[in-house]
Amino acid sequence: MKILITGGAGFIGSHLVRLLLEQGHAVTVLDDLSTGAKAHIEGLPIGLWQADIREKAVTARIAAAHFDAVVHLAAQTMVDASLRDPHFDAEENVIGLVNVLEGARLGGTRRVIFASTAAVYGDVSARDLPVREEQALAPLSFYGMTKVAGEQYLALYKKIFGLDYVVLRFANVYGERQGDRGEGGVISIFAKRVARGSSITIFGDGGQTRDFIYAGDIASGIACALRTEHACRAYNLGTQTELSLNELVRVLGKAAGKALAPAYAAPREGDIYRSALSNAAARRNLGWTPKVTLEEGLRRTYAYVKETAAQ
């Protein structure tokens, strides 16, 4: 297939580019390089468009290329940033999405894969964990809200224009080439500080839980979504496992060969307390399952951080 990946020079995108090339697809990356980096995809046989999805000109460029599929990863991904600047969050996550969808529609694209998030669910009760896709959406941040809006745009584009889509609600993604942004950024932040011999700080009591999933497993989930017959719905991509931040620190310390003692600070506004995503629907309809254990994923991530810090 001829595939466009928006945000393809970013953290998750760089994992996906490599996988899709291995599978024999023709890949073009659209990225403004504000958070992504050319170094993440340097030397790979791809097309690179340096452009901002907020600019309407991207619509015509996408339409003219007639992609078979578009994977839309480009987004503002930080809860705290969405609260500080709701205008930018909406421009990136709503206007940017509409520009991409219009290009796909006009260019005859058959399917759009949309990166959504566990943040669309908000705080759910313990009895509803792990969260299933049928759970009511109740975001606690503008970031989560713009992702809900994006999902609704996709549903209407299917209803009005017949454009197929798959929504993928990511758990907390981590791995090589991650910046200190987004929901899984805590691992990148902690790993870099540990590698430098600096202290780490947990915002809250450390009992808050997340569902941490390795970026390579997310890439394989996207690849499955590109070819599934069960499209036009949302799927969770997660490990279906709750891990407290205190336990994360213990496992990271094991990967780093160090005993870690975090400091604690006041919790941040908009952060949910407990999160874990059911992946039963993705297993059933996408034929996908996560393969990389947390221990192995953290080992790879820490090794990458150590290597890049030494360069």
Side-chain angles (χ1 to χ4, degrees), residues 281-306:
R283 289 173 182 266
R284 182 174 63 249
N285 290 342
L286 301 183
W288 170 86
T289 184
K291 304 291 188 185
V292 179
T293 65
L294 179 73
E295 290 77 8
E296 173 61 18
L298 287 180
R299 186 195 64 77
R300 295 181 192 180
T301 302
Y302 188 73
Y304 172 82
V305 167
K306 288 279 286 186

mmCIF file with all atom_site columns, all heavy atoms in Angstrom, residues 281-306:
data_model
loop_
_atom_site.group_PDB
_atom_site.id
_atom_site.type_symbol
_atom_site.label_atom_id
_atom_site.label_alt_id
_atom_site.label_comp_id
_atom_site.label_asym_id
_atom_site.label_entity_id
_atom_site.label_seq_id
_atom_site.pdbx_PDB_ins_code
_atom_site.Cartn_x
_atom_site.Cartn_y
_atom_site.Cartn_z
_atom_site.occupancy
_atom_site.B_iso_or_equiv
_atom_site.pdbx_formal_charge
_atom_site.auth_seq_id
_atom_site.auth_comp_id
_atom_site.auth_asym_id
_atom_site.auth_atom_id
_atom_site.pdbx_PDB_model_num
ATOM 1   N N   . ALA A 1 281 ? -11.114 -6.627  22.428 1.00 0.00 ? 281 ALA A N   1
ATOM 2   C CA  . ALA A 1 281 ? -11.651 -6.359  21.092 1.00 0.00 ? 281 ALA A CA  1
ATOM 3   C C   . ALA A 1 281 ? -10.536 -6.339  20.051 1.00 0.00 ? 281 ALA A C   1
ATOM 4   O O   . ALA A 1 281 ? -10.708 -6.842  18.935 1.00 0.00 ? 281 ALA A O   1
ATOM 5   C CB  . ALA A 1 281 ? -12.409 -5.035  21.091 1.00 0.00 ? 281 ALA A CB  1
ATOM 6   N N   . ALA A 1 282 ? -9.387  -5.761  20.396 1.00 0.00 ? 282 ALA A N   1
ATOM 7   C CA  . ALA A 1 282 ? -8.264  -5.729  19.460 1.00 0.00 ? 282 ALA A CA  1
ATOM 8   C C   . ALA A 1 282 ? -7.719  -7.133  19.200 1.00 0.00 ? 282 ALA A C   1
ATOM 9   O O   . ALA A 1 282 ? -7.355  -7.474  18.071 1.00 0.00 ? 282 ALA A O   1
ATOM 10  C CB  . ALA A 1 282 ? -7.159  -4.816  19.990 1.00 0.00 ? 282 ALA A CB  1
ATOM 11  N N   . ARG A 1 283 ? -7.677  -7.941  20.234 1.00 0.00 ? 283 ARG A N   1
ATOM 12  C CA  . ARG A 1 283 ? -7.244  -9.337  20.049 1.00 0.00 ? 283 ARG A CA  1
ATOM 13  C C   . ARG A 1 283 ? -8.199  -10.073 19.113 1.00 0.00 ? 283 ARG A C   1
ATOM 14  O O   . ARG A 1 283 ? -7.781  -10.819 18.212 1.00 0.00 ? 283 ARG A O   1
ATOM 15  C CB  . ARG A 1 283 ? -7.181  -10.059 21.396 1.00 0.00 ? 283 ARG A CB  1
ATOM 16  C CG  . ARG A 1 283 ? -6.055  -9.626  22.319 1.00 0.00 ? 283 ARG A CG  1
ATOM 17  C CD  . ARG A 1 283 ? -6.207  -10.285 23.689 1.00 0.00 ? 283 ARG A CD  1
ATOM 18  N NE  . ARG A 1 283 ? -5.193  -9.877  24.637 1.00 0.00 ? 283 ARG A NE  1
ATOM 19  C CZ  . ARG A 1 283 ? -4.056  -10.532 24.853 1.00 0.00 ? 283 ARG A CZ  1
ATOM 20  N NH1 . ARG A 1 283 ? -3.798  -11.638 24.188 1.00 0.00 ? 283 ARG A NH1 1
ATOM 21  N NH2 . ARG A 1 283 ? -3.185  -10.087 25.746 1.00 0.00 ? 283 ARG A NH2 1
ATOM 22  N N   . ARG A 1 284 ? -9.480  -9.837  19.318 1.00 0.00 ? 284 ARG A N   1
ATOM 23  C CA  . ARG A 1 284 ? -10.507 -10.566 18.564 1.00 0.00 ? 284 ARG A CA  1
ATOM 24  C C   . ARG A 1 284 ? -10.615 -10.080 17.113 1.00 0.00 ? 284 ARG A C   1
ATOM 25  O O   . ARG A 1 284 ? -10.656 -10.891 16.186 1.00 0.00 ? 284 ARG A O   1
ATOM 26  C CB  . ARG A 1 284 ? -11.844 -10.388 19.276 1.00 0.00 ? 284 ARG A CB  1
ATOM 27  C CG  . ARG A 1 284 ? -13.009 -11.133 18.617 1.00 0.00 ? 284 ARG A CG  1
ATOM 28  C CD  . ARG A 1 284 ? -14.258 -11.021 19.486 1.00 0.00 ? 284 ARG A CD  1
ATOM 29  N NE  . ARG A 1 284 ? -14.713 -9.630  19.615 1.00 0.00 ? 284 ARG A NE  1
ATOM 30  C CZ  . ARG A 1 284 ? -14.653 -8.927  20.743 1.00 0.00 ? 284 ARG A CZ  1
ATOM 31  N NH1 . ARG A 1 284 ? -14.129 -9.471  21.848 1.00 0.00 ? 284 ARG A NH1 1
ATOM 32  N NH2 . ARG A 1 284 ? -15.093 -7.677  20.798 1.00 0.00 ? 284 ARG A NH2 1
ATOM 33  N N   . ASN A 1 285 ? -10.683 -8.771  16.904 1.00 0.00 ? 285 ASN A N   1
ATOM 34  C CA  . ASN A 1 285 ? -10.997 -8.241  15.579 1.00 0.00 ? 285 ASN A CA  1
ATOM 35  C C   . ASN A 1 285 ? -9.793  -7.755  14.779 1.00 0.00 ? 285 ASN A C   1
ATOM 36  O O   . ASN A 1 285 ? -9.871  -7.658  13.552 1.00 0.00 ? 285 ASN A O   1
ATOM 37  C CB  . ASN A 1 285 ? -11.994 -7.086  15.698 1.00 0.00 ? 285 ASN A CB  1
ATOM 38  C CG  . ASN A 1 285 ? -13.368 -7.546  16.116 1.00 0.00 ? 285 ASN A CG  1
ATOM 39  O OD1 . ASN A 1 285 ? -13.704 -8.725  16.013 1.00 0.00 ? 285 ASN A OD1 1
ATOM 40  N ND2 . ASN A 1 285 ? -14.175 -6.625  16.611 1.00 0.00 ? 285 ASN A ND2 1
ATOM 41  N N   . LEU A 1 286 ? -8.700  -7.447  15.468 1.00 0.00 ? 286 LEU A N   1
ATOM 42  C CA  . LEU A 1 286 ? -7.500  -7.020  14.754 1.00 0.00 ? 286 LEU A CA  1
ATOM 43  C C   . LEU A 1 286 ? -6.473  -8.143  14.649 1.00 0.00 ? 286 LEU A C   1
ATOM 44  O O   . LEU A 1 286 ? -5.522  -8.044  13.878 1.00 0.00 ? 286 LEU A O   1
ATOM 45  C CB  . LEU A 1 286 ? -6.851  -5.816  15.453 1.00 0.00 ? 286 LEU A CB  1
ATOM 46  C CG  . LEU A 1 286 ? -7.697  -4.550  15.615 1.00 0.00 ? 286 LEU A CG  1
ATOM 47  C CD1 . LEU A 1 286 ? -6.862  -3.434  16.251 1.00 0.00 ? 286 LEU A CD1 1
ATOM 48  C CD2 . LEU A 1 286 ? -8.262  -4.089  14.282 1.00 0.00 ? 286 LEU A CD2 1
ATOM 49  N N   . GLY A 1 287 ? -6.653  -9.188  15.433 1.00 0.00 ? 287 GLY A N   1
ATOM 50  C CA  . GLY A 1 287 ? -5.651  -10.252 15.470 1.00 0.00 ? 287 GLY A CA  1
ATOM 51  C C   . GLY A 1 287 ? -4.351  -9.771  16.093 1.00 0.00 ? 287 GLY A C   1
ATOM 52  O O   . GLY A 1 287 ? -3.270  -10.260 15.774 1.00 0.00 ? 287 GLY A O   1
ATOM 53  N N   . TRP A 1 288 ? -4.461  -8.835  17.039 1.00 0.00 ? 288 TRP A N   1
ATOM 54  C CA  . TRP A 1 288 ? -3.283  -8.197  17.635 1.00 0.00 ? 288 TRP A CA  1
ATOM 55  C C   . TRP A 1 288 ? -3.150  -8.587  19.096 1.00 0.00 ? 288 TRP A C   1
ATOM 56  O O   . TRP A 1 288 ? -4.138  -8.754  19.802 1.00 0.00 ? 288 TRP A O   1
ATOM 57  C CB  . TRP A 1 288 ? -3.435  -6.674  17.547 1.00 0.00 ? 288 TRP A CB  1
ATOM 58  C CG  . TRP A 1 288 ? -2.404  -5.902  18.321 1.00 0.00 ? 288 TRP A CG  1
ATOM 59  C CD1 . TRP A 1 288 ? -1.167  -5.544  17.891 1.00 0.00 ? 288 TRP A CD1 1
ATOM 60  C CD2 . TRP A 1 288 ? -2.526  -5.377  19.655 1.00 0.00 ? 288 TRP A CD2 1
ATOM 61  N NE1 . TRP A 1 288 ? -0.497  -4.837  18.880 1.00 0.00 ? 288 TRP A NE1 1
ATOM 62  C CE2 . TRP A 1 288 ? -1.318  -4.716  19.973 1.00 0.00 ? 288 TRP A CE2 1
ATOM 63  C CE3 . TRP A 1 288 ? -3.550  -5.402  20.609 1.00 0.00 ? 288 TRP A CE3 1
ATOM 64  C CZ2 . TRP A 1 288 ? -1.099  -4.091  21.202 1.00 0.00 ? 288 TRP A CZ2 1
ATOM 65  C CZ3 . TRP A 1 288 ? -3.337  -4.789  21.838 1.00 0.00 ? 288 TRP A CZ3 1
ATOM 66  C CH2 . TRP A 1 288 ? -2.119  -4.128  22.114 1.00 0.00 ? 288 TRP A CH2 1
ATOM 67  N N   . THR A 1 289 ? -1.908  -8.694  19.531 1.00 0.00 ? 289 THR A N   1
ATOM 68  C CA  . THR A 1 289 ? -1.638  -8.890  20.949 1.00 0.00 ? 289 THR A CA  1
ATOM 69  C C   . THR A 1 289 ? -0.290  -8.267  21.266 1.00 0.00 ? 289 THR A C   1
ATOM 70  O O   . THR A 1 289 ? 0.637   -8.331  20.437 1.00 0.00 ? 289 THR A O   1
ATOM 71  C CB  . THR A 1 289 ? -1.627  -10.384 21.333 1.00 0.00 ? 289 THR A CB  1
ATOM 72  O OG1 . THR A 1 289 ? -1.458  -10.514 22.744 1.00 0.00 ? 289 THR A OG1 1
ATOM 73  C CG2 . THR A 1 289 ? -0.535  -11.139 20.622 1.00 0.00 ? 289 THR A CG2 1
ATOM 74  N N   . PRO A 1 290 ? -0.133  -7.611  22.422 1.00 0.00 ? 290 PRO A N   1
ATOM 75  C CA  . PRO A 1 290 ? 1.172   -7.051  22.767 1.00 0.00 ? 290 PRO A CA  1
ATOM 76  C C   . PRO A 1 290 ? 2.178   -8.160  23.041 1.00 0.00 ? 290 PRO A C   1
ATOM 77  O O   . PRO A 1 290 ? 1.846   -9.167  23.652 1.00 0.00 ? 290 PRO A O   1
ATOM 78  C CB  . PRO A 1 290 ? 0.892   -6.221  24.015 1.00 0.00 ? 290 PRO A CB  1
ATOM 79  C CG  . PRO A 1 290 ? -0.360  -6.795  24.593 1.00 0.00 ? 290 PRO A CG  1
ATOM 80  C CD  . PRO A 1 290 ? -1.158  -7.326  23.451 1.00 0.00 ? 290 PRO A CD  1
ATOM 81  N N   . LYS A 1 291 ? 3.415   -7.973  22.584 1.00 0.00 ? 291 LYS A N   1
ATOM 82  C CA  . LYS A 1 291 ? 4.438   -9.007  22.691 1.00 0.00 ? 291 LYS A CA  1
ATOM 83  C C   . LYS A 1 291 ? 5.554   -8.674  23.682 1.00 0.00 ? 291 LYS A C   1
ATOM 84  O O   . LYS A 1 291 ? 6.175   -9.568  24.248 1.00 0.00 ? 291 LYS A O   1
ATOM 85  C CB  . LYS A 1 291 ? 5.083   -9.236  21.313 1.00 0.00 ? 291 LYS A CB  1
ATOM 86  C CG  . LYS A 1 291 ? 4.118   -9.598  20.201 1.00 0.00 ? 291 LYS A CG  1
ATOM 87  C CD  . LYS A 1 291 ? 3.527   -10.972 20.382 1.00 0.00 ? 291 LYS A CD  1
ATOM 88  C CE  . LYS A 1 291 ? 2.708   -11.388 19.162 1.00 0.00 ? 291 LYS A CE  1
ATOM 89  N NZ  . LYS A 1 291 ? 2.028   -12.686 19.367 1.00 0.00 ? 291 LYS A NZ  1
ATOM 90  N N   . VAL A 1 292 ? 5.843   -7.387  23.869 1.00 0.00 ? 292 VAL A N   1
ATOM 91  C CA  . VAL A 1 292 ? 7.025   -6.978  24.631 1.00 0.00 ? 292 VAL A CA  1
ATOM 92  C C   . VAL A 1 292 ? 6.649   -6.740  26.092 1.00 0.00 ? 292 VAL A C   1
ATOM 93  O O   . VAL A 1 292 ? 5.781   -5.922  26.400 1.00 0.00 ? 292 VAL A O   1
ATOM 94  C CB  . VAL A 1 292 ? 7.653   -5.709  24.026 1.00 0.00 ? 292 VAL A CB  1
ATOM 95  C CG1 . VAL A 1 292 ? 8.867   -5.263  24.839 1.00 0.00 ? 292 VAL A CG1 1
ATOM 96  C CG2 . VAL A 1 292 ? 8.048   -5.959  22.573 1.00 0.00 ? 292 VAL A CG2 1
ATOM 97  N N   . THR A 1 293 ? 7.300   -7.467  26.987 1.00 0.00 ? 293 THR A N   1
ATOM 98  C CA  . THR A 1 293 ? 7.042   -7.288  28.416 1.00 0.00 ? 293 THR A CA  1
ATOM 99  C C   . THR A 1 293 ? 7.576   -5.932  28.882 1.00 0.00 ? 293 THR A C   1
ATOM 100 O O   . THR A 1 293 ? 8.450   -5.332  28.247 1.00 0.00 ? 293 THR A O   1
ATOM 101 C CB  . THR A 1 293 ? 7.724   -8.384  29.244 1.00 0.00 ? 293 THR A CB  1
ATOM 102 O OG1 . THR A 1 293 ? 9.146   -8.256  29.104 1.00 0.00 ? 293 THR A OG1 1
ATOM 103 C CG2 . THR A 1 293 ? 7.276   -9.772  28.786 1.00 0.00 ? 293 THR A CG2 1
ATOM 104 N N   . LEU A 1 294 ? 7.065   -5.458  30.014 1.00 0.00 ? 294 LEU A N   1
ATOM 105 C CA  . LEU A 1 294 ? 7.551   -4.199  30.561 1.00 0.00 ? 294 LEU A CA  1
ATOM 106 C C   . LEU A 1 294 ? 9.049   -4.286  30.864 1.00 0.00 ? 294 LEU A C   1
ATOM 107 O O   . LEU A 1 294 ? 9.808   -3.341  30.580 1.00 0.00 ? 294 LEU A O   1
ATOM 108 C CB  . LEU A 1 294 ? 6.780   -3.846  31.835 1.00 0.00 ? 294 LEU A CB  1
ATOM 109 C CG  . LEU A 1 294 ? 7.218   -2.549  32.505 1.00 0.00 ? 294 LEU A CG  1
ATOM 110 C CD1 . LEU A 1 294 ? 6.744   -1.350  31.704 1.00 0.00 ? 294 LEU A CD1 1
ATOM 111 C CD2 . LEU A 1 294 ? 6.688   -2.474  33.936 1.00 0.00 ? 294 LEU A CD2 1
ATOM 112 N N   . GLU A 1 295 ? 9.486   -5.387  31.432 1.00 0.00 ? 295 GLU A N   1
ATOM 113 C CA  . GLU A 1 295 ? 10.898  -5.538  31.772 1.00 0.00 ? 295 GLU A CA  1
ATOM 114 C C   . GLU A 1 295 ? 11.773  -5.427  30.525 1.00 0.00 ? 295 GLU A C   1
ATOM 115 O O   . GLU A 1 295 ? 12.797  -4.731  30.545 1.00 0.00 ? 295 GLU A O   1
ATOM 116 C CB  . GLU A 1 295 ? 11.138  -6.887  32.469 1.00 0.00 ? 295 GLU A CB  1
ATOM 117 C CG  . GLU A 1 295 ? 10.563  -6.991  33.869 1.00 0.00 ? 295 GLU A CG  1
ATOM 118 C CD  . GLU A 1 295 ? 9.052   -7.221  33.882 1.00 0.00 ? 295 GLU A CD  1
ATOM 119 O OE1 . GLU A 1 295 ? 8.459   -7.453  32.802 1.00 0.00 ? 295 GLU A OE1 1
ATOM 120 O OE2 . GLU A 1 295 ? 8.460   -7.159  34.981 1.00 0.00 ? 295 GLU A OE2 1
ATOM 121 N N   . GLU A 1 296 ? 11.370  -6.097  29.450 1.00 0.00 ? 296 GLU A N   1
ATOM 122 C CA  . GLU A 1 296 ? 12.148  -6.051  28.210 1.00 0.00 ? 296 GLU A CA  1
ATOM 123 C C   . GLU A 1 296 ? 12.062  -4.664  27.574 1.00 0.00 ? 296 GLU A C   1
ATOM 124 O O   . GLU A 1 296 ? 13.057  -4.124  27.081 1.00 0.00 ? 296 GLU A O   1
ATOM 125 C CB  . GLU A 1 296 ? 11.649  -7.109  27.229 1.00 0.00 ? 296 GLU A CB  1
ATOM 126 C CG  . GLU A 1 296 ? 12.271  -7.044  25.838 1.00 0.00 ? 296 GLU A CG  1
ATOM 127 C CD  . GLU A 1 296 ? 13.777  -7.235  25.826 1.00 0.00 ? 296 GLU A CD  1
ATOM 128 O OE1 . GLU A 1 296 ? 14.337  -7.756  26.824 1.00 0.00 ? 296 GLU A OE1 1
ATOM 129 O OE2 . GLU A 1 296 ? 14.411  -6.859  24.818 1.00 0.00 ? 296 GLU A OE2 1
ATOM 130 N N   . GLY A 1 297 ? 10.867  -4.072  27.577 1.00 0.00 ? 297 GLY A N   1
ATOM 131 C CA  . GLY A 1 297 ? 10.704  -2.743  26.995 1.00 0.00 ? 297 GLY A CA  1
ATOM 132 C C   . GLY A 1 297 ? 11.526  -1.697  27.728 1.00 0.00 ? 297 GLY A C   1
ATOM 133 O O   . GLY A 1 297 ? 12.157  -0.832  27.100 1.00 0.00 ? 297 GLY A O   1
ATOM 134 N N   . LEU A 1 298 ? 11.542  -1.765  29.062 1.00 0.00 ? 298 LEU A N   1
ATOM 135 C CA  . LEU A 1 298 ? 12.339  -0.811  29.833 1.00 0.00 ? 298 LEU A CA  1
ATOM 136 C C   . LEU A 1 298 ? 13.837  -1.050  29.627 1.00 0.00 ? 298 LEU A C   1
ATOM 137 O O   . LEU A 1 298 ? 14.624  -0.097  29.598 1.00 0.00 ? 298 LEU A O   1
ATOM 138 C CB  . LEU A 1 298 ? 11.993  -0.908  31.312 1.00 0.00 ? 298 LEU A CB  1
ATOM 139 C CG  . LEU A 1 298 ? 10.639  -0.334  31.729 1.00 0.00 ? 298 LEU A CG  1
ATOM 140 C CD1 . LEU A 1 298 ? 10.429  -0.504  33.233 1.00 0.00 ? 298 LEU A CD1 1
ATOM 141 C CD2 . LEU A 1 298 ? 10.501  1.136   31.349 1.00 0.00 ? 298 LEU A CD2 1
ATOM 142 N N   . ARG A 1 299 ? 14.220  -2.296  29.469 1.00 0.00 ? 299 ARG A N   1
ATOM 143 C CA  . ARG A 1 299 ? 15.640  -2.586  29.198 1.00 0.00 ? 299 ARG A CA  1
ATOM 144 C C   . ARG A 1 299 ? 16.060  -1.938  27.885 1.00 0.00 ? 299 ARG A C   1
ATOM 145 O O   . ARG A 1 299 ? 17.116  -1.288  27.808 1.00 0.00 ? 299 ARG A O   1
ATOM 146 C CB  . ARG A 1 299 ? 15.872  -4.105  29.145 1.00 0.00 ? 299 ARG A CB  1
ATOM 147 C CG  . ARG A 1 299 ? 17.342  -4.499  29.011 1.00 0.00 ? 299 ARG A CG  1
ATOM 148 C CD  . ARG A 1 299 ? 17.507  -5.952  28.611 1.00 0.00 ? 299 ARG A CD  1
ATOM 149 N NE  . ARG A 1 299 ? 16.960  -6.210  27.272 1.00 0.00 ? 299 ARG A NE  1
ATOM 150 C CZ  . ARG A 1 299 ? 17.579  -5.868  26.145 1.00 0.00 ? 299 ARG A CZ  1
ATOM 151 N NH1 . ARG A 1 299 ? 18.735  -5.238  26.183 1.00 0.00 ? 299 ARG A NH1 1
ATOM 152 N NH2 . ARG A 1 299 ? 17.034  -6.155  24.980 1.00 0.00 ? 299 ARG A NH2 1
ATOM 153 N N   . ARG A 1 300 ? 15.238  -2.113  26.835 1.00 0.00 ? 300 ARG A N   1
ATOM 154 C CA  . ARG A 1 300 ? 15.555  -1.509  25.534 1.00 0.00 ? 300 ARG A CA  1
ATOM 155 C C   . ARG A 1 300 ? 15.580  0.019   25.631 1.00 0.00 ? 300 ARG A C   1
ATOM 156 O O   . ARG A 1 300 ? 16.465  0.680   25.070 1.00 0.00 ? 300 ARG A O   1
ATOM 157 C CB  . ARG A 1 300 ? 14.517  -1.929  24.486 1.00 0.00 ? 300 ARG A CB  1
ATOM 158 C CG  . ARG A 1 300 ? 14.501  -3.405  24.164 1.00 0.00 ? 300 ARG A CG  1
ATOM 159 C CD  . ARG A 1 300 ? 13.454  -3.686  23.091 1.00 0.00 ? 300 ARG A CD  1
ATOM 160 N NE  . ARG A 1 300 ? 13.190  -5.104  22.931 1.00 0.00 ? 300 ARG A NE  1
ATOM 161 C CZ  . ARG A 1 300 ? 12.324  -5.620  22.062 1.00 0.00 ? 300 ARG A CZ  1
ATOM 162 N NH1 . ARG A 1 300 ? 11.625  -4.804  21.270 1.00 0.00 ? 300 ARG A NH1 1
ATOM 163 N NH2 . ARG A 1 300 ? 12.136  -6.915  21.973 1.00 0.00 ? 300 ARG A NH2 1
ATOM 164 N N   . THR A 1 301 ? 14.587  0.562   26.316 1.00 0.00 ? 301 THR A N   1
ATOM 165 C CA  . THR A 1 301 ? 14.483  2.011   26.431 1.00 0.00 ? 301 THR A CA  1
ATOM 166 C C   . THR A 1 301 ? 15.666  2.597   27.178 1.00 0.00 ? 301 THR A C   1
ATOM 167 O O   . THR A 1 301 ? 16.269  3.593   26.746 1.00 0.00 ? 301 THR A O   1
ATOM 168 C CB  . THR A 1 301 ? 13.171  2.397   27.148 1.00 0.00 ? 301 THR A CB  1
ATOM 169 O OG1 . THR A 1 301 ? 12.059  1.865   26.419 1.00 0.00 ? 301 THR A OG1 1
ATOM 170 C CG2 . THR A 1 301 ? 13.019  3.908   27.238 1.00 0.00 ? 301 THR A CG2 1
ATOM 171 N N   . TYR A 1 302 ? 16.031  1.980   28.301 1.00 0.00 ? 302 TYR A N   1
ATOM 172 C CA  . TYR A 1 302 ? 17.146  2.502   29.085 1.00 0.00 ? 302 TYR A CA  1
ATOM 173 C C   . TYR A 1 302 ? 18.464  2.359   28.331 1.00 0.00 ? 302 TYR A C   1
ATOM 174 O O   . TYR A 1 302 ? 19.314  3.262   28.372 1.00 0.00 ? 302 TYR A O   1
ATOM 175 C CB  . TYR A 1 302 ? 17.216  1.794   30.440 1.00 0.00 ? 302 TYR A CB  1
ATOM 176 C CG  . TYR A 1 302 ? 18.229  2.432   31.363 1.00 0.00 ? 302 TYR A CG  1
ATOM 177 C CD1 . TYR A 1 302 ? 17.963  3.659   31.945 1.00 0.00 ? 302 TYR A CD1 1
ATOM 178 C CD2 . TYR A 1 302 ? 19.448  1.822   31.621 1.00 0.00 ? 302 TYR A CD2 1
ATOM 179 C CE1 . TYR A 1 302 ? 18.890  4.280   32.780 1.00 0.00 ? 302 TYR A CE1 1
ATOM 180 C CE2 . TYR A 1 302 ? 20.384  2.431   32.438 1.00 0.00 ? 302 TYR A CE2 1
ATOM 181 C CZ  . TYR A 1 302 ? 20.104  3.654   33.005 1.00 0.00 ? 302 TYR A CZ  1
ATOM 182 O OH  . TYR A 1 302 ? 21.027  4.271   33.822 1.00 0.00 ? 302 TYR A OH  1
ATOM 183 N N   . ALA A 1 303 ? 18.636  1.258   27.618 1.00 0.00 ? 303 ALA A N   1
ATOM 184 C CA  . ALA A 1 303 ? 19.846  1.068   26.834 1.00 0.00 ? 303 ALA A CA  1
ATOM 185 C C   . ALA A 1 303 ? 19.958  2.150   25.757 1.00 0.00 ? 303 ALA A C   1
ATOM 186 O O   . ALA A 1 303 ? 21.056  2.690   25.510 1.00 0.00 ? 303 ALA A O   1
ATOM 187 C CB  . ALA A 1 303 ? 19.857  -0.316  26.190 1.00 0.00 ? 303 ALA A CB  1
ATOM 188 N N   . TYR A 1 304 ? 18.840  2.488   25.124 1.00 0.00 ? 304 TYR A N   1
ATOM 189 C CA  . TYR A 1 304 ? 18.840  3.541   24.106 1.00 0.00 ? 304 TYR A CA  1
ATOM 190 C C   . TYR A 1 304 ? 19.197  4.886   24.723 1.00 0.00 ? 304 TYR A C   1
ATOM 191 O O   . TYR A 1 304 ? 19.996  5.654   24.170 1.00 0.00 ? 304 TYR A O   1
ATOM 192 C CB  . TYR A 1 304 ? 17.470  3.609   23.427 1.00 0.00 ? 304 TYR A CB  1
ATOM 193 C CG  . TYR A 1 304 ? 17.314  4.794   22.504 1.00 0.00 ? 304 TYR A CG  1
ATOM 194 C CD1 . TYR A 1 304 ? 17.814  4.758   21.205 1.00 0.00 ? 304 TYR A CD1 1
ATOM 195 C CD2 . TYR A 1 304 ? 16.651  5.941   22.940 1.00 0.00 ? 304 TYR A CD2 1
ATOM 196 C CE1 . TYR A 1 304 ? 17.686  5.844   20.368 1.00 0.00 ? 304 TYR A CE1 1
ATOM 197 C CE2 . TYR A 1 304 ? 16.521  7.041   22.094 1.00 0.00 ? 304 TYR A CE2 1
ATOM 198 C CZ  . TYR A 1 304 ? 17.040  6.979   20.802 1.00 0.00 ? 304 TYR A CZ  1
ATOM 199 O OH  . TYR A 1 304 ? 16.896  8.080   19.981 1.00 0.00 ? 304 TYR A OH  1
ATOM 200 N N   . VAL A 1 305 ? 18.605  5.194   25.869 1.00 0.00 ? 305 VAL A N   1
ATOM 201 C CA  . VAL A 1 305 ? 18.884  6.461   26.541 1.00 0.00 ? 305 VAL A CA  1
ATOM 202 C C   . VAL A 1 305 ? 20.359  6.552   26.908 1.00 0.00 ? 305 VAL A C   1
ATOM 203 O O   . VAL A 1 305 ? 21.012  7.599   26.714 1.00 0.00 ? 305 VAL A O   1
ATOM 204 C CB  . VAL A 1 305 ? 17.989  6.605   27.802 1.00 0.00 ? 305 VAL A CB  1
ATOM 205 C CG1 . VAL A 1 305 ? 18.475  7.757   28.687 1.00 0.00 ? 305 VAL A CG1 1
ATOM 206 C CG2 . VAL A 1 305 ? 16.541  6.833   27.398 1.00 0.00 ? 305 VAL A CG2 1
ATOM 207 N N   . LYS A 1 306 ? 20.915  5.486   27.437 1.00 0.00 ? 306 LYS A N   1
ATOM 208 C CA  . LYS A 1 306 ? 22.334  5.473   27.804 1.00 0.00 ? 306 LYS A CA  1
ATOM 209 C C   . LYS A 1 306 ? 23.226  5.665   26.584 1.00 0.00 ? 306 LYS A C   1
ATOM 210 O O   . LYS A 1 306 ? 24.199  6.425   26.618 1.00 0.00 ? 306 LYS A O   1
ATOM 211 C CB  . LYS A 1 306 ? 22.698  4.148   28.493 1.00 0.00 ? 306 LYS A CB  1
ATOM 212 C CG  . LYS A 1 306 ? 22.140  4.008   29.900 1.00 0.00 ? 306 LYS A CG  1
ATOM 213 C CD  . LYS A 1 306 ? 22.998  4.738   30.908 1.00 0.00 ? 306 LYS A CD  1
ATOM 214 C CE  . LYS A 1 306 ? 24.288  4.017   31.173 1.00 0.00 ? 306 LYS A CE  1
ATOM 215 N NZ  . LYS A 1 306 ? 25.073  4.656   32.272 1.00 0.00 ? 306 LYS A NZ  1
#
